[in-house]
Amino acid sequence: MSNAVKFRTPKVLPYVNRLRDHWAWHLKRAVAPGKALQQRVNGKVILLTGASSGIGALVADKLADAGATVLLVARNQEKLEAIAHAIHQRGGQAFVYPGDLSNMEECDRLCEQALQDHGRVDVLINNAGRSIRRSIKFTVGRFHDYERTMQLNYLASIRLAMNLLPGMEARNEGHIINVSTVGVQANPARFSAYLASKWALEGWTWVAANEYAHTNVRFSSLNYPLVRTPMIAPTKIYKYMPVMSPETAVNWMLDMIITQDKRKLGVFGKGALAMYYLLPKTSESIVNLSYQSLYEEPPANYVSSKARAGTAANTNTISSTKKRRA
């Protein structure tokens, strides 16, 4: 690649068309959301990851009922086949693509098979994800926590996108939706591994959106709050916290598909973002107070800072005694 600086005339008309389409689809969504969804996805091929349960399974039903051909991706083939069978019973189109997305070769294989079977993928929804809730001090000996979350939440999403983008670019049409979290704005404690992967995913999404803004290929981030899905079930405290219902989460996803907005973010996320930029130290203190207030059971092999300090002090004392005797 040459390092010489070269200029070319930019395309400006696509910005005008995009603004016109933005308001047109928002109006359609407001007046008749069901009809708008059908107009947007009827006849489209949509690849949906994390489709075996929760938000993914519910969204798959809605998209198929609106006329889309839905490609269901998850590890559990049995669950995928049950969802596909129910869709077929209603006259919809759904196809099962089981695979482990944490394996990059599996990502390539799934995309290759999907393109071979259907000729194209119009919409990619990266909905699959893994969350880990653990303090950094308890993660020192668990570097694989970061590798696992990054592998599925970030690398797999980008691997699928990179496989499907060339076709979208050639057709000058496509939409990639990356499911993220309001945690990117709020930065809650104990989610360093999970949020690192989502920050990376959003960073890629915004760069891609900027680079393709003059085309008809769109990129979106969906910043969900806590949603009552199987992924949050292991964390007991969430039983007592206000969370979004799966039905509302599905409507968020469908709105994003219709409008192709750049980001979907609730009131809490916007408030957290404003707080972070306007009063960063205050925001940090609030999060830290909640972190200190909630006890977290340490792992069996954890050595506390107090114990480490005591060990270090004893070592220094013994060392000093030996030196005096010498």
Side-chain angles (χ1 to χ4, degrees):
M1 180 181 292
S2 173
N3 291 324
V5 177
K6 298 180 180 180
F7 294 94
R8 59 184 176 181
T9 304
K11 300 175 182 178
V12 180
L13 183 60
Y15 306 151
V16 178
N17 295 335
R18 185 173 62 172
L19 181 63
R20 178 201 63 206
D21 291 344
H22 171 84
W23 290 113
W25 282 105
H26 271 266
L27 180 61
K28 290 179 182 180
R29 189 274 311 269
V31 174
K35 186 176 180 181
L37 179 66
Q38 187 175 22
Q39 289 179 348
R40 182 63 96 178
V41 306
N42 187 37
K44 301 291 186 182
V45 179
I46 301 177
L47 193 152
L48 171 64
T49 70
S52 61
S53 65
I55 299 169
L58 295 172
V59 167
D61 286 341
K62 295 290 187 181
L63 293 176
D65 291 344
T69 297
V70 186
L71 313 186
L72 307 172
V73 178
R75 288 178 298 175
N76 194 313
Q77 182 171 354
E78 185 177 344
K79 288 184 178 180
L80 292 179
E81 288 178 347
I83 294 168
H85 177 72
I87 290 173
H88 293 154
Q89 290 290 98
R90 300 196 304 272
Q93 293 290 318
F95 298 86
V96 170
Y97 291 86
D100 181 3
L101 295 179
S102 63
N103 183 323
M104 297 297 102
E105 291 182 358
E106 278 284 277
C107 294
D108 296 341
R109 180 190 64 79
L110 288 169
C111 290
E112 183 179 345
Q113 189 64 53
L115 293 173
Q116 182 178 324
D117 294 344
H118 304 280
R120 71 186 194 281
V121 170
D122 300 296
V123 181
L124 166 64
I125 303 176
N126 282 314
N127 173 64
R130 171 183 280 119
S131 178
I132 295 177
R133 180 180 181 271
R134 185 174 289 115
S135 292
I136 293 174
K137 65 181 180 180
F138 297 151
T139 316
V140 172
R142 296 177 56 91
F143 188 73
H144 60 275
D145 282 357
Y146 295 92
E147 293 176 314
R148 289 162 60 199
T149 51
M150 194 64 76
Q151 195 77 10
L152 180 60
N153 297 350
Y154 174 61
L155 293 177
S157 297
I158 305 311
R159 190 74 168 225
L160 295 174
M162 298 298 281
N163 272 284
L164 301 176
L165 259 175
M168 293 180 178
E169 188 175 7
R171 298 190 306 276
N172 193 30
E173 182 181 13
H175 190 193
I176 294 176
I177 300 174
N178 290 324
V179 173
S180 188
T181 169
V182 72
V184 170
Q185 287 77 42
N187 304 302
R190 297 186 172 93
F191 287 95
S192 60
Y194 177 61
L195 293 181
S197 65
K198 290 301 185 180
W199 271 102
L201 183 61
E202 288 209 19
W204 183 90
T205 305
W206 298 139
V207 171
N210 288 341
E211 291 186 7
Y212 284 85
H214 64 291
T215 74
N216 289 322
V217 180
R218 299 284 174 258
F219 299 83
S220 304
S221 278
L222 206 54
N223 292 87
Y224 278 128
L226 285 173
V227 181
R228 188 70 70 191
T229 64
M231 188 172 78
I232 73 167
T235 306
K236 304 303 180 185
I237 193 174
Y238 292 159
K239 291 182 178 180
Y240 312 102
M241 296 177 64
V243 297
M244 178 181 281
S245 69
E247 292 74 21
T248 301
V250 169
N251 288 334
W252 272 34
M253 179 77 78
L254 299 180
D255 283 350
M256 185 64 81
I257 293 169
I258 294 169
T259 63
Q260 296 186 345
D261 282 346
K262 193 168 183 178
R263 185 196 290 277
K264 183 85 170 173
L265 182 64
V267 174
F268 174 75
K270 293 174 183 176
L273 191 62
M275 186 75 173
Y276 179 79
Y277 281 108
L278 295 175
L279 299 166
K281 288 296 183 181
T282 303
S283 176
E284 181 180 280
S285 298
I286 291 172
V287 174
N288 183 258
L289 277 172
S290 66
Y291 172 67
Q292 293 186 74
S293 300
L294 294 174
Y295 176 72
E296 180 181 358
E297 188 73 36
N301 62 347
Y302 176 68
V303 180
S304 69
S305 57
K306 189 176 294 186
R308 291 196 300 272
T311 301
N314 290 336
T315 301
N316 290 336
T317 301
I318 293 170
S319 177
S320 298
T321 302
K322 288 182 178 179
K323 287 180 179 179
R324 286 199 299 270
R325 287 175 178 174

